[in-house]
Amino acid sequence: MATTHRGRKEALGAEEKWLCVFKGFLFGDRPFWWVHESGYYSQAPVQVHQFPSSCETGPGSPSGHCMITGAALWPIMTALSSQVATRTRSRWVRMIPSLAYCTFLLAVGLSRVFILAHFPHQVLAGLITGAVLGWLMAPRVPMERELSFYGLTALALMLGASLIYWTLVTLGLDVSWSISLASKWCERPEWVHMDSRPFASLSRDSGAALGLGIALHSPFYAQVRRAQLGNGQKIACFVLAMGLLGLLDWLGQPSQISLFYIFNFLKYTLWPCLVLALVPWVVHMFSAQEIPPIRSS
């Protein structure tokens, strides 16, 4: 009996160690709570300066800001590089888009470390992952897919995240551990934002996937796609889209968590529809010049 009890205890200890390793590699602490929870500074407490953007509630590894920025800017960088390459033979000029891309990502990464939102290795992991995702996904933009593809993608994201959630719960992991630590060690309660929760990213990404499909299959986009917008029209689209997106952010968000997820999903479903379809269509309709009829001789 003693041997059996000891064996179970050792098995549980090994399981806990693997869970800790799993959590450390895939989740990761954030610096603004790690300095208090680690115990390294128990003898000589340190004073850390937090910012409104420090108190994110999601796990810290990898850096989502660096990963998303790196992936989103990759196709822009490659497009600019190809345009520059066709107009100049100077190797240094051709390197300008790549240098700008790397410089901007470096600034994003340093800012995340400075506000104690991430450790350097988490930033590095986010930068590498974002660049790889951009390189892999840029040639595979699903422009010609059916609307059902986007709907099923959004559904797969939600079901897949739910499956991972319940799998982690079954394994004994507290999936809300980072939310508790962020709320515990954040200097000001109002700095703990709900939009930094892990499931907020899920509602945002699934909503954006569905919204992209709706936008690409809308009659507004079909009309704009056949038209050639001038530089002035593109600038007007940019200004109007930024104004509308800012207005959506200004409306705020519900304080009840389930309503917040629903609102977040609907908001990010609307964003691609505004940017890709509705705003360009409005600008095109109001700025299009009427072509005078051709008189027969």
Side-chain angles (χ1 to χ4, degrees):
M1 292 294 293
T3 304
T4 305
H5 179 72
R6 188 183 303 112
R8 290 180 179 177
K9 187 175 181 180
E10 291 177 356
L12 289 175
E15 183 180 354
E16 291 176 356
K17 290 179 181 179
W18 279 110
L19 290 177
C20 290
V21 172
F22 180 76
K23 189 177 81 169
F25 275 103
L26 295 185
F27 298 104
D29 293 293
R30 291 183 183 269
F32 77 91
W33 74 58
W34 179 85
V35 295
H36 304 288
E37 293 285 333
S38 63
Y40 286 104
Y41 303 98
S42 57
Q43 300 298 328
V46 296
Q47 296 292 330
V48 294
H49 183 67
Q50 296 180 2
F51 300 86
S53 300
S54 299
C55 302
E56 296 191 355
T57 59
S61 184
S63 170
H65 282 77
C66 295
M67 182 172 60
I68 295 173
T69 304
L73 292 184
W74 181 273
I76 299 176
M77 182 269 293
T78 54
L80 290 176
S81 297
S82 62
Q83 290 291 329
V84 172
T86 58
R87 300 184 180 184
T88 181
R89 295 182 178 180
S90 174
R91 184 179 64 179
W92 297 106
V93 176
R94 293 181 180 182
M95 292 177 60
I96 289 178
S98 300
L99 291 175
Y101 174 80
C102 295
T103 302
F104 186 77
L105 290 184
L106 178 62
V108 173
L110 291 176
S111 68
R112 303 301 293 168
V113 175
F114 178 77
I115 65 174
L116 300 179
H118 291 287
F119 290 103
H121 71 278
Q122 297 172 344
V123 167
L124 181 62
L127 293 176
I128 295 175
T129 305
V132 171
L133 285 175
W135 175 68
L136 290 175
M137 301 305 296
R140 298 174 176 84
V141 179
M143 294 291 293
E144 306 299 332
R145 296 282 190 143
E146 298 293 332
L147 180 58
S148 58
F149 168 81
Y150 298 92
L152 291 175
T153 300
L155 182 61
L157 286 173
M158 291 186 287
L159 293 179
S162 300
L163 178 61
I164 294 174
Y165 173 85
W166 289 113
T167 301
L168 295 178
V169 171
T170 304
L171 291 175
L173 286 176
D174 180 14
V175 293
S176 62
W177 65 274
S178 61
I179 301 175
S180 302
L181 291 176
S183 302
K184 178 181 179 180
W185 294 112
C186 187
E187 291 181 0
R188 300 184 183 181
E190 63 270 19
W191 288 356
V192 181
H193 302 293
M194 286 193 297
D195 56 3
S196 63
R197 289 171 175 249
F199 275 94
S201 301
L202 170 65
S203 62
R204 177 171 62 245
D205 295 342
S206 56
L210 179 60
L212 179 62
I214 295 175
L216 294 178
H217 289 83
S218 67
F220 304 110
Y221 180 77
Q223 295 184 35
V224 173
R225 190 176 183 180
R226 292 191 297 265
Q228 293 292 332
L229 298 181
N231 292 330
Q233 292 174 315
K234 293 178 181 178
I235 294 175
C237 290
F238 174 79
V239 174
L240 182 57
M242 293 300 294
L244 291 175
L245 297 182
L247 179 61
L248 286 177
D249 279 338
W250 176 79
L251 292 176
Q253 55 196 17
S255 57
Q256 210 278 334
I257 189 63
S258 58
L259 293 178
F260 164 75
Y261 287 141
I262 296 174
F263 177 81
N264 205 43
F265 175 84
L266 295 177
K267 181 173 72 172
Y268 282 95
T269 302
L270 182 60
W271 277 28
C273 299
L274 288 174
V275 175
L276 289 178
L278 188 58
V279 168
W281 178 80
V282 170
V283 171
H284 174 67
M285 292 299 295
F286 279 91
S287 61
Q289 298 180 354
E290 293 185 1
I291 303 177
I294 301 177
R295 296 181 180 180
S296 59
S297 55

